[in-house]
Amino acid sequence: MEKKSKDPRKKDVVIPPKKPKLTKAERRALQEKQRAAKGVKPTGDSGQKVQKTAGDPGSKQKQASGDLISGLGRHQIAPDAADIFTSKAIKLFSHLPQYKPLENVTSCGVTVKPMTKVSQAANLHPAILELGIKYADGSIRGANARCKAMMMAFKAVIRGYETPKDKTLSFDLDQKIKPIFQHLTNCRPHSVSMGNAITFIKMTIANLSRDVKEDEAKDILCEQIDEYVKERITFADEVIAEYAVSKIQNGDVILVYGRSEAVELLLYEQARKGGIDSFRVIVVDSRPLMEGRAMLERLSKRGIQCSYILLNSLSYVFKEVTKVFIGAAALMSDGSVVSRVGTAGVALMAARTCNVPVLCCCETYKISAHVQLESITRNELGNPDDLAVTADNTYGSILGDWRTTPNLKLLNIVYDLTPAEHISGIITELGILPPTSVAVILREMYPQDNNESDFR
């Protein structure tokens, strides 16, 4: 028999076994062990590092970096609290960005989130940093208010912009906008209206001629921003109010939920044309934000007849309601409406149970090309502590200890989705149309996208 020659180049390949998956506690213990081996001792669970030798130049460099962060007025996130919020996440909504508490805001008005680098934050305009804080702490709420504030902040950025040498304004300014918008999104997830406004700004910058001088280009951009706010928001709400008033008759009992600028304006218009005694308003409100109180206060100052109830009393007043007006945070291409949580329940009871027409007031700049079928895939999570606070702004005995209570989790959803079949009509600045015609508006507004073959 012939002996087979062994090829010396072929060696036995040894496949190492897969490493076992470690739990979160085991990974943390392993990290602590590695830090101890490197001569670094941890200070609590915050993960901050302190060198043993105070004279080490590396420690001075880290201290200088820390001074830079504190000098910027960073929104410092308590790691323990952040871990608790993550561990208390509802599994069905775990894919959404979890709420993280922001603390220690200084007066200089700068915020830096964990996903935002210090160097990036240092290069951002002060108006953007201040706006980020207002987004994060809820000082600015509502799709229109957030979009207006963002556009005014971008005007400040454009006014203070200077084109670097060997670069064009249109290209460099477009690159500057990306980290700005990302920073605002880090502070709070952006709305559909903000996304559409950013698209408008980027298109306006891209259409600038290279022959235009820098000062003239800045003036053009600022004028375009002012025109956008005036036409797509301010003027649009006035036109919506005129269209909506045509649907109100003398003696109508109108139900509104929360607070909407467009709905509020149409009620003012009806009071001006038909008189304050020609209709009555029922303001429905819900925790935790209680936005209906602001609506109630404004309507009462105008002398409009109002009633105020909470969402859980809704079924008792629908016998006298003749029309329901709701606002919108976004309008999907299939006619469904994204609005503050609770709107879907109001529309469902009005349309299905009581056969009351539901009219949605929405500006066209809030229309999205996307289709959304439910409120789980895309949504926003608010502060769970807002649910724990009772009417006297104190924590209840049980909810106050929700962080340490096992098997107790709080879920504060910001938006919900109202299906198109529960909406009788959508009132825009282009007129009153059925929900099925939203796709037609999209084709008319963005003809350049009609030839695209991808589904959005």
Side-chain angles (χ1 to χ4, degrees), residues 58-74:
S59 62
K60 293 181 179 180
Q61 185 177 0
K62 292 182 179 180
Q63 183 179 1
S65 176
D67 293 340
L68 172 63
I69 297 174
S70 60
L72 286 173
R74 171 178 178 176

Side-chain angles (χ1 to χ4, degrees), residues 200-216:
F200 167 80
I201 292 177
K202 297 182 73 173
M203 289 181 61
T204 306
I205 293 174
N207 292 332
L208 287 174
S209 174
R210 293 188 177 184
D211 299 330
V212 179
K213 295 182 180 179
E214 182 174 318
D215 292 339
E216 185 179 353

Side-chain angles (χ1 to χ4, degrees), residues 151-205:
M151 297 297 266
M152 295 304 104
F154 271 107
K155 277 184 62 178
V157 172
I158 292 171
R159 289 297 185 189
Y161 171 79
E162 293 182 0
T163 308
K165 294 182 179 180
D166 302 330
K167 290 187 178 181
T168 59
L169 181 143
S170 58
F171 176 79
D172 187 66
L173 186 57
D174 181 75
Q175 297 299 314
K176 292 287 193 300
I177 287 179
K178 294 179 181 178
I180 290 176
F181 189 61
Q182 183 60 49
H183 172 75
L184 295 178
T185 303
N186 291 341
C187 294
R188 183 184 172 183
H190 69 271
S191 61
V192 170
S193 58
M194 292 170 59
N196 291 339
I198 285 294
T199 301
F200 167 80
I201 292 177
K202 297 182 73 173
M203 289 181 61
T204 306
I205 293 174

Side-chain angles (χ1 to χ4, degrees), residues 132-372:
I133 289 181
K134 292 181 178 179
Y135 280 171
D137 63 14
S139 300
I140 299 179
R141 293 188 184 275
N144 287 350
R146 291 172 64 190
C147 187
K148 287 179 182 178
M150 185 190 70
M151 297 297 266
M152 295 304 104
F154 271 107
K155 277 184 62 178
V157 172
I158 292 171
R159 289 297 185 189
Y161 171 79
E162 293 182 0
T163 308
K165 294 182 179 180
D166 302 330
K167 290 187 178 181
T168 59
L169 181 143
S170 58
F171 176 79
D172 187 66
L173 186 57
D174 181 75
Q175 297 299 314
K176 292 287 193 300
I177 287 179
K178 294 179 181 178
I180 290 176
F181 189 61
Q182 183 60 49
H183 172 75
L184 295 178
T185 303
N186 291 341
C187 294
R188 183 184 172 183
H190 69 271
S191 61
V192 170
S193 58
M194 292 170 59
N196 291 339
I198 285 294
T199 301
F200 167 80
I201 292 177
K202 297 182 73 173
M203 289 181 61
T204 306
I205 293 174
N207 292 332
L208 287 174
S209 174
R210 293 188 177 184
D211 299 330
V212 179
K213 295 182 180 179
E214 182 174 318
D215 292 339
E216 185 179 353
K218 290 180 181 179
D219 293 337
I220 293 174
L221 291 175
C222 291
E223 289 176 4
Q224 290 292 325
I225 290 176
D226 289 335
E227 286 296 321
Y228 184 90
V229 173
K230 182 179 178 181
E231 293 181 5
R232 304 301 298 275
I233 303 178
T234 306
F235 178 72
D237 285 343
E238 295 175 358
V239 176
I240 288 173
E242 293 181 2
Y243 282 124
V245 165
S246 64
K247 294 296 181 181
I248 300 177
Q249 300 174 352
N250 287 335
D252 269 345
V253 178
I254 299 172
L255 186 140
V256 299
Y257 177 60
R259 180 175 180 265
S260 167
E261 288 187 7
V263 174
E264 185 178 330
L265 194 60
L266 77 86
L267 296 176
Y268 294 161
E269 185 67 13
Q270 174 61 25
R272 185 182 68 84
K273 289 186 175 181
I276 58 176
D277 297 327
S278 62
F279 67 107
R280 185 161 61 89
V281 180
I282 298 178
V283 180
V284 182
D285 208 354
S286 66
R287 295 186 63 237
L289 297 180
M290 308 296 285
E291 294 175 298
R293 292 182 179 180
M295 171 76 90
L296 181 68
E297 181 180 1
R298 292 169 180 266
L299 295 179
S300 299
K301 288 182 178 179
R302 296 288 184 112
I304 299 174
Q305 301 180 59
C306 298
S307 301
Y308 180 79
I309 65 168
L310 293 181
L311 188 60
N312 53 2
S313 305
L314 188 62
S315 60
Y316 295 96
V317 299
F318 253 120
K319 296 178 182 179
E320 54 182 335
V321 174
T322 57
K323 289 181 180 67
V324 175
F325 285 96
I326 61 173
L331 181 61
M332 301 293 108
S333 61
D334 62 343
S336 57
V337 176
V338 177
S339 189
R340 62 179 51 81
V341 64
T343 304
V346 173
L348 175 64
M349 182 171 292
R352 288 285 184 88
T353 307
C354 305
N355 198 25
V356 175
V358 179
L359 299 172
C360 175
C361 301
C362 180
E363 304 86 349
T364 54
Y365 87 106
K366 294 180 181 178
I367 298 179
S368 171
H370 294 278
V371 173
Q372 189 170 337

Side-chain angles (χ1 to χ4, degrees), residues 370-401:
H370 294 278
V371 173
Q372 189 170 337
L373 303 178
E374 29 70 25
S375 308
I376 299 175
T377 305
R378 296 177 184 174
N379 212 316
E380 182 181 345
L381 299 181
N383 186 1
D385 283 332
D386 291 342
L387 301 179
V389 177
T390 58
D392 56 353
N393 293 327
T394 59
Y395 289 92
S397 58
I398 297 177
L399 293 181
D401 299 328

